[in-house]
Amino acid sequence: MPEFSRRSRAHLDTCDPRLVRLFSEVVKHYDCTILEGQRTEERQRELVATGKSKTLFSKHLTQPYSMACDVMPFPIRWDRVGAERARHFAGFVFGVASQLGIEGLRWGGDWDRDFDLRDQSFMDLPHYELLD
């Protein structure tokens, strides 16, 4: 059974308990890595400046826990195949969230939550956030 590395666990532990519960269950069945949890304002400004984020008001900045985390299936690939794997992974994540009764989850590949993955102006495939 896959499990998180110390680094992934440390990132996840900065997140809202619902995200911790969700991805702790996901990793039991689908190998993945936590890229980021809570961020500093400086880190967020850097990501906006490089075009990797579109907002200075990210849910990664919430206190005391981040309402967002960046997660990718392992091993990570940043090519077309990796994007397809990220989409498959997102479906799995939403299935587990449903089973756990975790509502209000949004993914950076479907910001408007309409199940149309072609109508996004900004793709952030690793990004998962809680709406409340």
Side-chain angles (χ1 to χ4, degrees), residues 3 6 31 51 53 68 94 104 108 110:
E3 61 184 49
R6 276 187 288 215
D31 201 2
S53 181
F94 276 91
D110 187 21

Side-chain angles (χ1 to χ4, degrees), residues 69-112:
C69 60
D70 291 345
V71 187
M72 283 292 279
F74 190 81
I76 298 171
R77 290 182 59 165
W78 297 111
D79 59 5
R80 186 182 59 76
V81 172
E84 290 174 10
R85 289 181 63 229
R87 290 179 182 94
H88 182 270
F89 178 70
F92 186 82
V93 169
F94 276 91
V96 172
S98 177
Q99 288 181 336
L100 296 176
I102 297 172
E103 297 179 8
L105 184 66
R106 180 164 53 189
W107 171 55
D110 187 21
W111 291 105
D112 55 5

Side-chain angles (χ1 to χ4, degrees), residues 2-130:
E3 61 184 49
F4 287 126
S5 67
R6 276 187 288 215
R7 186 175 184 183
S8 283
R9 175 54 63 185
H11 289 311
L12 185 59
D13 286 345
T14 68
C15 296
D16 181 279
R18 292 169 291 177
L19 292 172
V20 173
R21 192 166 134 239
L22 172 60
F23 287 104
S24 293
E25 186 62 29
V26 167
V27 76
K28 291 177 186 176
H29 310 281
Y30 205 130
D31 201 2
C32 57
T33 188
I34 310 295
L35 301 170
E36 282 193 280
Q38 199 164 58
R39 290 182 186 148
T40 64
E41 289 181 24
E42 179 181 1
R43 171 78 174 136
Q44 189 63 34
R45 281 193 299 275
E46 173 187 312
L47 292 170
V48 170
T50 60
K52 294 179 182 172
S53 181
K54 296 290 183 187
T55 182
L56 292 174
F57 304 101
S58 171
K59 294 213 176 208
H60 285 278
L61 301 173
T62 57
Q63 297 286 335
Y65 297 108
S66 175
M67 295 288 283
C69 60
D70 291 345
V71 187
M72 283 292 279
F74 190 81
I76 298 171
R77 290 182 59 165
W78 297 111
D79 59 5
R80 186 182 59 76
V81 172
E84 290 174 10
R85 289 181 63 229
R87 290 179 182 94
H88 182 270
F89 178 70
F92 186 82
V93 169
F94 276 91
V96 172
S98 177
Q99 288 181 336
L100 296 176
I102 297 172
E103 297 179 8
L105 184 66
R106 180 164 53 189
W107 171 55
D110 187 21
W111 291 105
D112 55 5
R113 301 172 69 202
D114 67 354
F115 304 107
D116 181 353
L117 306 183
R118 298 165 294 163
D119 67 346
Q120 310 309 302
S121 62
F122 177 69
M123 297 299 279
D124 189 357
L125 299 180
H127 184 84
Y128 295 85
E129 68 180 32
L130 297 168

